Every structure is written in structure tokens, then in C-alpha cells.
Amino acid sequence: MIYDELRSLLSQGAVVVATVISNKGSVPRELGAKMLITCDRCIDTIGGGAGEAKVIVQAREVLQTGEKRRIEIDLTGSPKRQTEGVCGGWMEILLDRWHGEAAIAIAQQILTELKLGRSVTLVMPFDEANPYLIKGKGERRKEKDSEAFIEVLEPAPTLLIVGAGHVGEQLAKVAHLIGFQIAIQDDRPEWANLVRYPQATFIYSHIDQALEELSNHPNLHVALVTRGYRFDLDALTALLNRDLPCAYIGMIGSERRVMQVYEQTKQMGISADKLKSIYAPIGLDIGALTPAEIAISIGAELIMLRRGGTGRSLSI
């Protein structure tokens, strides 16, 4: 999460937060996309290429002056003017220097709220006022901030990995990289621990414990990558009886293993309609064999569903 990085960098000094505040046409990044710039580091990206290089140069000037800037990046490829790319669109970037204890406190508040599964609103004024948060529905932005970029920050989707074996270990790395908060469930502490899973925010020994503590997470994704049929069955039964439906349930295994689990769940009274929502066997068909390759195929399926992709090749 970029706010983890921001909090860490702020403890070392000032950071310029570059935010996409407006865009039009075909552009490489969405509204709210951020990049962090210090005197010697850049974290994340607002699109790369010449446009990003322009942002980095000016951000390092903002580090020195503290004066906010709004930068236009022209990606239209028009021969009539200097452009920073040929994507076909246009972006506006806000450069704002964050520094000091107040900035650290805001970054920490954002992290706390998001990790609890709660959204928060970040107001970034265009004048020299500092960014601030609106947490409650009754709160309003300050009236003097007539011009500001207002962003509702939503909690990262949570991926509960059921099964802390070889595939689970690789999947935690991939899913964390693509923006998921990671939870692990396995009854073996020698497998399910922070040494093997440094990405994990939560580690649980039992599926019921996991679902109880994650009951208020509306964007819960689950990957069943257990070591056996019995563990699949126990987890799937609990998941399908969850009051708040999961955003995604995927189950590893051969077609035969999947069908055996389905037959057992039907005998336990779970409807065929609920089973239709499960992605099994899990992942996209990319010919994956190793745990790392399987993790990538699962990660690709998660991205496809989250972003509305098709899974087809992009070749023209």
C-alpha cells in the first residue's frame, strides 16, 4: 500500500506526493493514482515515460520550495505542440510536499482506517493549506477550500489464502504486489507464520476464526489452496454460509477433486446456484505448473475480475 511507503519515507524527511487529479482520453493511470518522490527515490508511477520524467524534475523543485504545483502532461501526440507521449489523452498532476509530524499522523490515520476495512476521504487543497481527512459522514470539508482534489480512499481488497503451503506462499507475494491485503488461514503454525508470510496482515488457525474477524470486510476474496479435499470442504462450506457474500472464491485442484467437493456440499444442503459463483479450478489457463506460475495465473484472474478484463491476448 502506498500509504505504508509514505509513512515510512516521512520518518526520514519530506516527500512530494504526485497525484493524478484530472485526465481526459486515453491515459496510463487513473484519477487518484500516486507517485512518491524524495531527493533520491521514486515510489510507484503516474505513467512512466517523458511525462513522468517531467513530473520528477519539478517534484524535486517542490521539495526545496514547498510550493504546490499543478502540471499538465500532454499525451495526445499532436505534431503542433510538444507532447510527453502518444497515448492519446491528457493528464493533470498535483505536486504537494508532505512533511513533519502532522503529515505522518495523517498517513497513519489513513492506514489505520483502511486496515480496519473503513473508507476515508482525503482532501488535498490546491492552495497552500495542508491535506486533511474527513472520516465521518457528518464531517464536511473546510469552506475556505473551494478548490481541492477530494478522494475517497477505499480499503484494499482482502485476499484470504486458505492453505499456507507452497502455492499459498507464492500467491501471497503476487497478491500483495497487485494491491491486496493478505490474510492467511492454516492450522499449522510452522507453515502459517510471519516468517513465511511477511506480507500477511492477519494469520488465523481456523476458518471460522478468520470469517468472524473478517465479517465486516465487504471486498473479501478467497483462494482455497489447501493440502487436501477435507480442508477444501470445510472452508467452502463456511464461506458459502457467510452472511456477506465473498467477492471471489477460487479453489485449486483437478476437475475431479472440484467435482467431489461440489457433490459433498450439495449433500450438505448448499444450492447449485451458490456453487456457480466459484472459480474452480482456480486461475486463468496459461499452462502453469510450478507454485509461482500457478500464483501468477490466480493473480491474473483476480486482476481480470477487479478491472473488468477478458483474459484474452492483447495481440493485434
PDB file of all heavy atoms in Angstrom, residues 34 66 118 163-164 167 187 217 224 241 244 282:
ATOM      1  N   LYS A  34      -1.007   7.699  -7.612  1.00  0.00           N
ATOM      2  CA  LYS A  34       0.004   8.482  -6.906  1.00  0.00           C
ATOM      3  C   LYS A  34       1.419   7.956  -7.139  1.00  0.00           C
ATOM      4  O   LYS A  34       1.620   6.771  -7.389  1.00  0.00           O
ATOM      5  CB  LYS A  34      -0.287   8.489  -5.400  1.00  0.00           C
ATOM      6  CG  LYS A  34      -1.513   9.306  -5.028  1.00  0.00           C
ATOM      7  CD  LYS A  34      -1.764   9.287  -3.538  1.00  0.00           C
ATOM      8  CE  LYS A  34      -2.882  10.247  -3.192  1.00  0.00           C
ATOM      9  NZ  LYS A  34      -4.116   9.997  -3.935  1.00  0.00           N
ATOM     10  N   GLY A  66       8.632  23.961  -1.357  1.00  0.00           N
ATOM     11  CA  GLY A  66       7.395  23.704  -0.617  1.00  0.00           C
ATOM     12  C   GLY A  66       6.160  24.251  -1.295  1.00  0.00           C
ATOM     13  O   GLY A  66       5.047  24.111  -0.770  1.00  0.00           O
ATOM     14  N   ARG A 118     -12.442   0.353   6.695  1.00  0.00           N
ATOM     15  CA  ARG A 118     -13.278   1.550   6.601  1.00  0.00           C
ATOM     16  C   ARG A 118     -12.711   2.512   5.564  1.00  0.00           C
ATOM     17  O   ARG A 118     -11.496   2.689   5.474  1.00  0.00           O
ATOM     18  CB  ARG A 118     -13.375   2.241   7.956  1.00  0.00           C
ATOM     19  CG  ARG A 118     -14.030   1.393   9.030  1.00  0.00           C
ATOM     20  CD  ARG A 118     -14.403   2.228  10.228  1.00  0.00           C
ATOM     21  NE  ARG A 118     -13.267   2.688  10.977  1.00  0.00           N
ATOM     22  CZ  ARG A 118     -12.932   2.238  12.195  1.00  0.00           C
ATOM     23  NH1 ARG A 118     -13.651   1.272  12.764  1.00  0.00           N
ATOM     24  NH2 ARG A 118     -11.890   2.732  12.842  1.00  0.00           N
ATOM     25  N   GLY A 163      -4.789 -22.196   3.237  1.00  0.00           N
ATOM     26  CA  GLY A 163      -3.744 -23.158   2.891  1.00  0.00           C
ATOM     27  C   GLY A 163      -2.416 -22.452   2.771  1.00  0.00           C
ATOM     28  O   GLY A 163      -2.215 -21.644   1.864  1.00  0.00           O
ATOM     29  N   ALA A 164      -1.500 -22.732   3.709  1.00  0.00           N
ATOM     30  CA  ALA A 164      -0.236 -21.996   3.768  1.00  0.00           C
ATOM     31  C   ALA A 164       0.927 -22.775   3.162  1.00  0.00           C
ATOM     32  O   ALA A 164       2.069 -22.626   3.578  1.00  0.00           O
ATOM     33  CB  ALA A 164       0.082 -21.637   5.220  1.00  0.00           C
ATOM     34  N   VAL A 167       1.988 -23.128  -2.853  1.00  0.00           N
ATOM     35  CA  VAL A 167       1.243 -22.209  -3.714  1.00  0.00           C
ATOM     36  C   VAL A 167       0.809 -20.978  -2.925  1.00  0.00           C
ATOM     37  O   VAL A 167       0.902 -19.844  -3.399  1.00  0.00           O
ATOM     38  CB  VAL A 167       0.028 -22.911  -4.349  1.00  0.00           C
ATOM     39  CG1 VAL A 167      -0.861 -21.902  -5.080  1.00  0.00           C
ATOM     40  CG2 VAL A 167       0.478 -24.000  -5.319  1.00  0.00           C
ATOM     41  N   ASP A 187      -3.972 -24.449   9.878  1.00  0.00           N
ATOM     42  CA  ASP A 187      -3.882 -24.939  11.254  1.00  0.00           C
ATOM     43  C   ASP A 187      -2.463 -25.329  11.647  1.00  0.00           C
ATOM     44  O   ASP A 187      -2.242 -25.820  12.755  1.00  0.00           O
ATOM     45  CB  ASP A 187      -4.831 -26.123  11.463  1.00  0.00           C
ATOM     46  CG  ASP A 187      -4.494 -27.311  10.562  1.00  0.00           C
ATOM     47  OD1 ASP A 187      -3.717 -27.137   9.604  1.00  0.00           O
ATOM     48  OD2 ASP A 187      -5.024 -28.412  10.809  1.00  0.00           O
ATOM     49  N   HIS A 217     -15.627  -7.136   6.287  1.00  0.00           N
ATOM     50  CA  HIS A 217     -14.870  -6.770   5.090  1.00  0.00           C
ATOM     51  C   HIS A 217     -15.739  -7.056   3.856  1.00  0.00           C
ATOM     52  O   HIS A 217     -15.967  -8.215   3.504  1.00  0.00           O
ATOM     53  CB  HIS A 217     -13.569  -7.553   5.016  1.00  0.00           C
ATOM     54  CG  HIS A 217     -12.521  -7.044   5.960  1.00  0.00           C
ATOM     55  ND1 HIS A 217     -11.285  -6.607   5.558  1.00  0.00           N
ATOM     56  CD2 HIS A 217     -12.541  -6.877   7.305  1.00  0.00           C
ATOM     57  CE1 HIS A 217     -10.589  -6.194   6.606  1.00  0.00           C
ATOM     58  NE2 HIS A 217     -11.326  -6.365   7.673  1.00  0.00           N
ATOM     59  N   LEU A 224      -8.730 -20.919  -2.160  1.00  0.00           N
ATOM     60  CA  LEU A 224      -8.581 -22.194  -1.471  1.00  0.00           C
ATOM     61  C   LEU A 224      -7.452 -22.966  -2.142  1.00  0.00           C
ATOM     62  O   LEU A 224      -7.613 -23.493  -3.241  1.00  0.00           O
ATOM     63  CB  LEU A 224      -9.880 -23.002  -1.534  1.00  0.00           C
ATOM     64  CG  LEU A 224     -11.138 -22.330  -0.986  1.00  0.00           C
ATOM     65  CD1 LEU A 224     -12.345 -23.244  -1.147  1.00  0.00           C
ATOM     66  CD2 LEU A 224     -10.956 -21.949   0.471  1.00  0.00           C
ATOM     67  N   ASN A 241     -21.740 -20.084   3.497  1.00  0.00           N
ATOM     68  CA  ASN A 241     -22.745 -19.741   4.504  1.00  0.00           C
ATOM     69  C   ASN A 241     -22.484 -18.374   5.132  1.00  0.00           C
ATOM     70  O   ASN A 241     -23.186 -17.978   6.064  1.00  0.00           O
ATOM     71  CB  ASN A 241     -22.790 -20.813   5.596  1.00  0.00           C
ATOM     72  CG  ASN A 241     -23.458 -22.095   5.111  1.00  0.00           C
ATOM     73  OD1 ASN A 241     -24.428 -22.049   4.356  1.00  0.00           O
ATOM     74  ND2 ASN A 241     -22.930 -23.243   5.519  1.00  0.00           N
ATOM     75  N   LEU A 244     -22.330 -12.096   4.455  1.00  0.00           N
ATOM     76  CA  LEU A 244     -21.946 -11.176   3.386  1.00  0.00           C
ATOM     77  C   LEU A 244     -21.195 -11.971   2.331  1.00  0.00           C
ATOM     78  O   LEU A 244     -20.113 -12.479   2.593  1.00  0.00           O
ATOM     79  CB  LEU A 244     -21.050 -10.071   3.951  1.00  0.00           C
ATOM     80  CG  LEU A 244     -20.658  -8.922   3.030  1.00  0.00           C
ATOM     81  CD1 LEU A 244     -21.883  -8.165   2.569  1.00  0.00           C
ATOM     82  CD2 LEU A 244     -19.691  -7.986   3.763  1.00  0.00           C
ATOM     83  N   ILE A 282      -9.102 -22.999 -10.067  1.00  0.00           N
ATOM     84  CA  ILE A 282      -8.764 -21.587  -9.910  1.00  0.00           C
ATOM     85  C   ILE A 282      -7.769 -21.119 -10.977  1.00  0.00           C
ATOM     86  O   ILE A 282      -6.972 -21.905 -11.491  1.00  0.00           O
ATOM     87  CB  ILE A 282      -8.176 -21.364  -8.496  1.00  0.00           C
ATOM     88  CG1 ILE A 282      -8.175 -19.882  -8.108  1.00  0.00           C
ATOM     89  CG2 ILE A 282      -6.786 -21.971  -8.384  1.00  0.00           C
ATOM     90  CD1 ILE A 282      -7.814 -19.658  -6.636  1.00  0.00           C
TER      91      ILE A 282
END
